[in-house]
Amino acid sequence: MKRIQTILSGVAILIALPLMILSGCSSSAGIQGSSAMMDEGAGIQHSEYVIVNNPKVARGLQIVDIATQFKGNLLIADVTLVSKYSDTEGYQYKFAWFDGDGIEIDAEGNAWTPFTMYGNETKTFRGAAPNPSAKQFKINIRLRD
Amino acid sequence: MAILRKYFIGLLGLCVILVLSAGCGSTQYGDASNVPVYDTDFGATDLQQIAAKMTTSLLTFPPIVQITDERRPVIMVERVKNKTTQHIDTESITDSIRTKLIRSGKFRFLDKSTDSQTIAEIKRQQDQGLTQQSQAAQFGTQEAAEFILTANLTEIKQKKDEFWNKRTSEYYKFTMNLKNLKSGILEWADEKEISKLQKNPRFWY
């Protein structure tokens, strides 16, 4: 009886272990670049930062430039990425736009856009704010499903 | 009885497989911003990519930025010419683009598709005697479109049969133009290319 229990435990571990490893691999987190253009009275204040939520994505991809400008009164974002791998890798990106109070604008209106980065390639992605109330943006980048 | 005992483990295994496979079926909500891709046919992600690219391109094109800084031009959208072999609801592509452009606050749109309802309502307001005539909508007062937005969707499909795999490559090109109705000049044009690849094993279904 004890022997059967031991065998069953072994089988359970053998089944569960690969499943646990596989589920750990599929992370929806990636890297996030952000920029804000706030009119503070004494001119436009510009701030930007990059957050790494998934070291695996950050090992292969780097945000090298975040450029923001107003065209008319619409916030435009240009984000430049560089692949640190020599192989081809698939990613997705999504822009999110925020007003001056930090409230997200049209949260459901932006979809994940797939893209491919070839070895050591540099690519720039442009996003336009949904409307003139946008003063900040974020770009989220993650591995393609 | 002896046969039953002999095949008991096999039958038990079969039962376990059946139970497990029956348990796999499920229905759940997905994420509309990240719709799964199953084949090379035109899909929701393609529509979203096209709408985003065209809107961004139009809103950031310098001459258009200059025009929309001064006023909100009136645009009419023509149905996309579907030159693919697939049945695609191309109106949903222009609907998405139109919605994004309206919400940008930079353009105003005329909607030809609701003209018959508009005519019926104006007639009702004028003829039924229920509406105050000072407030009733009149014929011939609608604004004219300054621009017309036209588009084409084309595809190129390629197939390759290998010993182990069947490969399909589908290339889509969406071209959009903004034409000034008075001058006939194309003020803006852009295109979005999408490539989709599929590999199916030949001996596995």
Side-chain angles (χ1 to χ4, degrees):
Chain A
M1 193 68 184
K2 212 169 182 181
R3 200 175 159 190
I4 294 168
Q5 275 181 342
T6 314
I7 292 167
L8 282 173
S9 308
V11 169
I13 290 167
L14 280 172
I15 293 168
L17 204 65
L19 286 174
M20 283 163 74
I21 291 166
L22 281 173
S23 64
C25 287
S26 57
S27 169
S28 61
I31 52 176
Q32 189 181 80
S34 172
S35 178
M37 296 275 274
M38 307 294 277
D39 194 348
E40 300 289 346
I44 289 173
Q45 299 293 311
H46 180 221
S47 63
E48 60 185 52
Y49 61 89
V50 174
I51 298 173
V52 175
N53 297 316
N54 184 342
K56 194 188 169 196
V57 178
R59 272 197 297 273
L61 200 68
Q62 190 183 348
I63 297 176
V64 287
D65 189 36
I66 298 174
T68 41
Q69 56 174 316
F70 281 101
K71 278 195 184 274
N73 51 6
L74 217 55
L75 183 65
I76 308 296
D78 289 292
V79 179
T80 306
L81 306 172
V82 65
S83 170
K84 295 195 277 183
Y85 286 144
S86 54
D87 295 332
T88 303
E89 189 75 75
Y91 300 92
Q92 295 176 302
Y93 74 86
K94 184 162 90 163
F95 279 101
W97 304 90
F98 303 86
D99 65 14
D101 298 323
I103 309 289
E104 189 167 0
I105 304 161
D106 196 14
E108 291 183 6
N110 299 301
W112 287 97
T113 304
F115 67 98
T116 302
M117 290 295 281
Y118 295 103
N120 305 110
E121 190 187 19
T122 303
K123 260 185 186 164
T124 300
F125 296 102
R126 168 167 280 197
N131 62 52
S133 66
K135 299 287 180 274
Q136 308 170 48
F137 85 92
K138 273 182 193 164
I139 183 168
N140 290 291
I141 302 149
R142 65 183 191 186
L143 286 166
R144 204 185 291 171
D145 289 341
Chain B
M1 198 65 185
I3 295 168
L4 204 70
R5 211 174 291 151
K6 192 178 173 186
Y7 293 111
F8 178 73
I9 293 172
L11 284 167
L12 191 72
L14 193 68
C15 288
V16 168
I17 289 167
L18 285 171
V19 166
L20 284 174
S21 59
C24 288
S26 71
T27 305
Q28 60 193 359
Y29 283 103
D31 179 7
S33 71
N34 188 26
V35 181
V37 180
Y38 298 119
D39 53 33
T40 59
D41 284 355
F42 193 84
T45 310
D46 307 319
L47 186 151
Q48 290 164 339
Q49 281 187 71
I50 287 170
K53 165 81 192 281
M54 291 300 138
T55 314
T56 303
S57 173
L58 182 59
L59 291 173
T60 57
F61 189 57
I64 301 296
V65 172
Q66 199 180 349
I67 292 168
T68 54
D69 260 359
E70 296 158 1
R71 62 183 194 281
R72 291 174 65 208
V74 179
I75 298 182
M76 195 173 71
V77 186
E78 270 298 310
R79 213 187 177 103
V80 178
K81 280 184 192 157
N82 180 10
K83 295 177 178 174
T84 69
T85 53
Q86 298 173 45
H87 172 74
I88 298 167
D89 179 12
T90 53
E91 203 171 340
S92 68
I93 306 174
T94 45
D95 280 353
S96 290
I97 294 168
R98 189 177 65 180
T99 306
K100 282 179 185 289
L101 290 175
I102 290 173
R103 291 181 63 79
S104 74
K106 300 285 180 185
F107 295 99
R108 295 173 295 161
F109 281 82
L110 287 177
D111 183 13
K112 269 200 311 187
S113 67
T114 53
D115 274 357
S116 55
Q117 289 99 310
T118 309
I119 291 166
E121 177 57 22
I122 293 173
K123 274 185 181 166
R124 194 194 66 79
Q125 287 186 7
Q126 291 184 349
D127 299 343
Q128 275 195 339
L130 292 170
T131 312
Q132 283 185 36
Q133 283 308 297
S134 58
Q135 291 177 10
Q138 302 293 319
F139 283 109
T141 56
Q142 285 196 359
E143 285 198 33
E146 188 179 349
F147 297 101
I148 186 165
L149 209 50
T150 57
N152 291 316
L153 179 64
T154 55
E155 72 170 348
I156 297 169
K157 195 170 190 169
Q158 288 176 296
K159 284 184 176 181
K160 189 181 178 189
D161 278 358
E162 293 169 338
F163 184 75
W164 290 109
N165 301 306
K166 285 179 172 179
R167 290 174 189 270
T168 308
S169 158
E170 193 115 14
Y171 164 85
Y172 295 97
K173 190 172 79 168
F174 183 88
T175 311
M176 196 160 221
N177 303 302
L178 185 75
K179 186 178 180 178
N180 188 317
L181 278 168
K182 277 184 186 163
S183 66
I185 289 169
L186 285 183
E187 298 277 3
W188 165 86
D190 205 349
E191 55 188 32
K192 170 73 183 167
E193 294 170 299
I194 295 169
S195 169
K196 295 172 95 173
L197 307 166
Q198 189 179 22
K199 187 174 85 174
N200 282 330
R202 183 185 285 273
F203 304 108
W204 178 260
Y205 294 98

